[in-house]
Amino acid sequence: MTELARWTAGDTEDVVCCLCRVPGTLVHDLAPFGVVRCPQCELVFVSPRLRPEALQRLYDDAGYFEGGVYGTAVSRRAADSDDGGGAPSAEGRLSPAMLLQRTWTAGRLALVDRERGAPAGGRLLEVGAGYGLFLAAARSAGWTTSGVELSRTGAKHAQDTLGLDVFCGQLEDAPLEAGFDVVCAWDTVEHVPDPLSFWRSVRSLVADDGVVLFSTPYVSSLPARLLGTRWWTLKPTEHIWHFTPRTHALLLARAGLALTRVVRSPLAPANAGRLDSLVGVARPIPNS
């Protein structure tokens, strides 16, 4: 939690539950942040949390992705490539970060195909595209891809190095045409200012016969319950919402989406090695 010392109370703001519009009750005091639980729906969130301008500074920091598996994978690939964007060396391909990336990407693309009951093809949107690794793989598999990424560092890499169509900013501000066959949000919704607003935006963009796939840490996982404030995924600066399968279902339903599948096994390729994270699948609820 040494990262917390970087911030003061002046960098933070109080918020309420996005579902019930009431303040939460304190679970963990991580000054200047608080991890709280809604007394009505039990959604866990951070309040006080970083103000939007402070959060943008965090995501724009070139070191934000470094040290994590996404940044390590990109750094290793660039370092091992003659031109900074080509294929990695054998050492790079066998690094733990790259192996996890390749496993997750292949598993998630296969899950997309199984859920759709059809091979790749059509329009795919990824919200929280990071450096663009998943989008690049989806494009190679035959998808017409678009992305949204808040981090200027991540979006620039996706645009300039990988040649991807990625909008830098919040989903609500992205100039996107509705009717996507697939919308993906890998490790994203725990970061957004308002998950209910986020999922409503997703619902407006996905086709009525489309599918939504996402991943998040979950606060009811065994590591989260056993470790408390030592849980490695708590990260109150950036993980500002903490879900369970139940609160995911509540949020999605309020936004017009039905949670149809939850993958929690760390043996599943789409969730490989992740003891405290899940992969969810949702489908649009038909408009009455």
Side-chain angles (χ1 to χ4, degrees):
M1 294 295 179
T2 55
E3 164 67 14
L4 303 188
R6 172 182 173 185
W7 308 101
T8 69
D11 296 311
T12 68
E13 63 181 1
D14 292 314
V15 296
V16 297
C17 174
C18 64
L19 274 174
C20 305
R21 313 309 302 175
V22 299
T25 57
L26 189 66
V27 178
H28 299 304
D29 184 0
L30 301 170
F33 307 101
V35 180
V36 301
R37 177 180 286 110
C38 176
Q40 296 182 19
C41 71
E42 299 187 337
L43 178 61
V44 175
F45 56 102
V46 175
S47 179
R49 72 184 188 193
L50 286 180
R51 296 180 184 276
E53 58 272 20
L55 196 61
Q56 185 68 58
R57 293 202 309 270
L58 176 71
Y59 291 140
D60 285 345
D61 188 332
Y64 171 73
F65 288 105
E66 299 306 322
V69 67
Y70 294 96
T72 302
V74 172
S75 298
R76 180 60 69 100
R77 181 170 67 177
D80 287 333
S81 169
D82 288 338
D83 61 4
S89 67
E91 180 186 358
R93 288 195 300 271
L94 296 176
S95 73
M98 285 302 295
L99 287 173
L100 272 175
Q101 282 297 317
R102 291 163 68 90
T103 300
W104 291 337
T105 295
R108 291 166 180 180
L109 287 172
L111 181 59
V112 169
D113 290 348
R114 287 198 301 274
E115 289 294 327
R116 293 183 70 246
R123 298 173 65 217
L124 180 148
L125 169 67
E126 184 185 10
V127 188
Y131 278 117
L133 302 179
F134 177 82
L135 271 185
R139 181 179 60 186
S140 295
W143 291 97
T144 299
T145 61
S146 300
V148 176
E149 172 55 44
L150 183 61
S151 166
R152 295 183 181 97
T153 303
K156 181 174 175 57
H157 184 277
Q159 295 161 351
D160 297 348
T161 303
L162 300 180
L164 293 164
D165 175 18
V166 173
F167 171 80
C168 184
Q170 296 286 0
L171 175 62
E172 291 84 352
D173 300 322
L176 295 167
E177 184 178 344
F180 283 96
D181 300 289
V182 177
V183 178
C184 299
W186 308 122
D187 294 317
T188 295
V189 70
E190 66 270 25
H191 297 262
V192 304
D194 184 332
L196 180 57
S197 175
F198 174 84
W199 285 129
R200 283 174 170 163
S201 294
V202 169
R203 177 61 184 91
S204 72
L205 290 168
V206 68
D208 288 342
D209 60 350
V211 61
V212 175
L213 299 97
F214 64 93
S215 62
T216 67
Y218 65 110
V219 73
S220 55
S221 66
L222 185 61
R225 289 185 284 115
L226 288 179
L227 295 174
T229 59
R230 294 180 293 113
W231 179 33
W232 57 82
T233 315
L234 198 58
K235 298 181 179 179
T237 53
E238 57 204 85
H239 291 173
I240 55 179
W241 301 93
H242 290 285
F243 307 96
T244 66
R246 175 182 172 275
T247 54
H248 271 310
L250 286 172
L251 272 164
L252 288 161
R254 186 80 66 86
L257 296 160
L259 183 65
T260 58
R261 184 175 183 183
V262 176
V263 178
R264 282 181 275 193
S265 171
L267 301 179
N271 197 48
R274 308 189 74 181
L275 301 174
D276 63 340
S277 292
L278 60 79
V279 171
V281 178
R283 294 183 179 276
I285 298 172
N287 294 319
S288 56

